[in-house]
Amino acid sequence: MKEELSHTESLKIINEMITEAKNNYEQSGSFYFLLWGWVVMIANLGHFILDKYTSFEYPFIFWALTIPAGIAAAWYSSKQKKEAQTTTHLARLYGEVWAALGVCLILSLFFMSKINYNHSAVILMLAGVGTYLSGRMLKFRPLVFGAIALWASAIVCFNLPMTDQYLVGAIGILLGYLIPGYLLKSAEK
């Protein structure tokens, strides 16, 4: 015999599911911000230094770091999904937001010549959107402030030559990903 839930019981279950989803991402969210924060900051700095101060023909070589980072992120995500006891709508939405932004990031790289090589600014704007939404979903203000730092960096990038955009991108990622990522990690304990 099927029992119907009261309005209060239904709200309690929904609230518990939202709390559980929030806790799952609070416990693993810092991994992604720290992983991508370090990789993208090193790639930006490496590209900037090689392009500005050397005659090395391939200054973009540092961006190859994103390949093993992507593999590590996919492996970690798969592991997290297997360990999760439930998958809530909020958890799926969180993942879908970052997946959609990932597609936009890749598209902006493929068509960087069409956007006059302002891809750093566009990528910082998209990273800001993901960071802002993550901050709102997790109710974690440092991520919201990190998003503002990423958007401010994007504005600066739009007004700089391409090489200098990599230095600003590294600073933006430090302020928008790494500092909030470490604050999130300390909140997870």
Side-chain angles (χ1 to χ4, degrees):
M1 182 173 180
K2 195 172 186 179
E3 249 181 73
E4 287 197 27
L5 298 174
S6 70
H7 179 69
T8 305
E9 290 170 327
S10 297
L11 284 177
K12 183 180 175 193
I13 289 171
I14 291 169
N15 202 19
E16 286 172 357
M17 290 173 68
I18 290 172
T19 301
E20 184 177 329
K22 186 174 175 265
N23 287 339
N24 286 344
Y25 282 98
E26 280 179 342
Q27 291 171 7
S28 63
S30 68
F31 172 82
Y32 299 104
F33 282 102
L34 295 177
L35 172 71
W36 288 111
W38 279 109
V39 167
V40 173
M41 189 176 80
I42 289 169
N44 268 303
L45 286 174
H47 194 142
F48 172 74
I49 290 167
L50 289 178
D51 202 23
K52 186 100 176 178
Y53 300 109
T54 72
S55 58
F56 187 63
E57 196 174 344
Y58 307 105
F60 50 83
I61 192 72
F62 275 94
W63 291 101
L65 290 171
T66 59
I67 295 169
I71 293 169
W75 172 80
Y76 189 79
S77 175
S78 175
K79 181 181 163 210
Q80 290 296 105
K81 285 178 185 171
K82 286 179 186 171
E83 291 176 358
Q85 295 174 354
T86 58
T87 302
T88 64
H89 178 67
L90 183 63
R92 276 193 301 275
L93 181 62
Y94 188 93
E96 293 299 323
V97 164
W98 280 103
L101 289 170
V103 170
C104 292
L105 292 172
I106 291 168
L107 287 174
S108 69
L109 290 174
F110 275 119
F111 295 103
M112 68 175 89
S113 65
K114 302 283 185 194
I115 54 174
N116 201 25
Y117 295 97
N118 282 311
H119 55 284
S120 291
V122 171
I123 289 170
L124 288 167
M125 284 191 316
L126 292 171
V129 170
T131 304
Y132 177 81
L133 291 174
S134 295
R136 287 305 200 190
M137 286 183 203
L138 299 175
K139 296 182 180 175
F140 191 71
R141 288 181 149 255
L143 287 173
V144 174
F145 294 129
I148 293 168
L150 290 165
W151 291 329
S153 299
I155 292 169
V156 174
C157 280
F158 274 122
N159 294 291
L160 290 176
M162 190 173 69
T163 300
D164 295 336
Q165 290 181 23
Y166 293 111
L167 179 60
V168 173
I171 295 167
I173 290 296
L174 170 69
L175 298 173
Y177 269 28
L178 287 175
I179 292 174
Y182 279 109
L183 292 172
L184 185 59
K185 185 176 182 175
S186 70
E188 292 170 355
K189 295 178 182 173

